[in-house]
Amino acid sequence: METLLLLFPQFSYTTQKQEAYCRMLAPGASRALKMKEDSSGQKDKERKSRLSLFLTKSGSHENVSPHKKKNAPANNVSPESALQWSDSFEELLSHSDGVEVFSQFLRKEFSEENIEFWLACEEYKTIDSETKLLSKAKYIYTVFCEPDSPKEINIDYNTRMAIQRGVAKPTKGCFEAAQLQVYNLMKKDSYPRFLLSDTYLRLTGRRGPRANMFRRRSRSCVFDERGEAAAERSAW
């Protein structure tokens, strides 16, 4: 082996040089990769921080009226007015107090993003300035429609992709399909539960159904001559 190395000394030298080079390169490459990952993670944190700050400043449509405090009870609502909300979901949304109370209910169910998105879309359709329309469209997409957004709504893939394409040059109908899906979700799922909630029943002066009203009578049994149980008809 020593003779072979003497005859071909470049083999030994090249191998040693490559090994040394790899040892020098590996820590640097590892550090560079780690710095890149840290930088990417830091950018994500900064982006989320800026978005959270933006949401805090904008209010994120969490209050229907800027003069009302979050989760403040609607004490000024009369039972007669509250009863009108049960006529239809449209009737509920036509009353500012109704929207506020419904929003409080959705917060308890951790689905307040639905009413906030619907309100944002209603405001979006009133904008006339192209510059403000573009800014508002990007805001709605970033907060409610973008995958893994802070208040992501539940819409289908095709609708989400259509919004993503339309945000670049938005129109007033950019969010109509998504708004309709969220509207139907609230109407069919959240609204019926709201009408049975303690929040709504207290406003209307009603009481929820008592458990003993639905308690089923136990079936009486008699035993025949063979010792088998048989239902007694007079027990019902």
Side-chain angles (χ1 to χ4, degrees):
M1 184 65 181
E2 292 178 357
T3 304
L4 182 62
L5 292 177
L6 289 174
L7 292 173
F8 303 99
Q10 66 275 15
F11 289 168
S12 177
Y13 175 75
T14 303
T15 302
Q16 293 175 0
K17 184 176 180 180
Q18 289 178 347
E19 291 177 353
Y21 179 74
C22 290
R23 285 195 299 270
M24 292 175 61
L25 180 62
S30 178
R31 286 195 299 271
L33 181 60
K34 187 175 185 303
M35 290 175 63
K36 183 178 181 181
E37 291 175 351
D38 292 343
S39 176
S40 177
Q42 183 65 26
K43 288 182 179 179
D44 290 340
K45 291 181 180 179
E46 291 177 356
R47 178 176 176 273
K48 291 180 179 179
S49 177
R50 289 195 301 269
L51 185 56
S52 298
L53 180 62
F54 178 61
L55 289 174
T56 302
K57 290 182 178 180
S58 65
S60 182
H61 298 280
E62 289 186 348
N63 295 318
V64 177
S65 171
H67 303 292
K68 291 185 179 181
K69 295 182 180 180
K70 185 177 180 180
N71 293 327
N75 295 324
N76 59 334
V77 179
S78 65
E80 292 75 16
S81 298
L83 283 171
Q84 296 178 14
W85 305 344
S86 63
D87 292 343
S88 66
F89 187 51
E90 293 78 8
E91 184 70 23
L92 171 68
L93 295 181
S94 67
H95 293 261
S96 59
D97 287 327
V99 176
E100 175 63 23
V101 176
F102 185 60
S103 300
Q104 293 175 15
F105 169 75
L106 292 182
R107 290 187 192 109
K108 294 179 181 178
E109 290 206 332
F110 303 99
S111 58
E112 69 272 18
E113 69 278 359
N114 292 326
I115 189 64
E116 291 175 13
F117 172 73
W118 185 85
L119 290 170
C121 291
E122 287 295 289
E123 181 183 345
Y124 172 80
K125 289 185 289 188
T126 65
I127 299 175
D128 295 325
S129 169
E130 291 186 2
T131 303
K132 292 182 179 179
L133 199 70
L134 177 60
S135 175
K136 188 68 173 180
K138 289 182 178 179
Y139 166 80
I140 294 176
Y141 175 76
T142 304
V143 176
F144 298 103
C145 304
E146 188 177 26
D148 299 323
S149 55
K151 298 187 177 184
E152 183 180 359
I153 55 174
N154 184 17
I155 54 178
D156 63 73
Y157 175 80
N158 292 331
T159 302
R160 195 183 304 275
M161 291 298 102
I163 293 174
Q164 185 178 14
R165 292 190 297 269
V167 165
K169 296 184 66 175
T171 63
K172 287 193 175 183
C174 182
F175 299 99
E176 280 187 356
Q179 186 182 15
L180 181 60
Q181 289 184 26
V182 171
Y183 176 88
N184 288 331
L185 178 63
M186 292 190 294
K187 181 177 181 179
K188 296 177 181 179
D189 183 59
S190 302
Y191 176 62
R193 289 200 306 274
F194 167 74
L195 296 179
L196 297 176
S197 67
D198 291 338
T199 301
Y200 180 68
L201 293 175
R202 280 195 298 268
L203 287 175
T204 58
R206 295 176 176 179
R207 292 184 178 181
R210 293 179 297 176
N212 58 2
M213 292 177 63
F214 298 95
R215 186 175 60 187
R216 189 175 181 179
R217 293 182 59 187
S218 60
R219 184 188 295 268
S220 300
C221 296
V222 294
F223 292 87
D224 58 19
E225 295 179 352
R226 292 179 296 179
E228 296 178 353
E232 184 180 358
R233 294 180 181 178
S234 60
W236 291 93

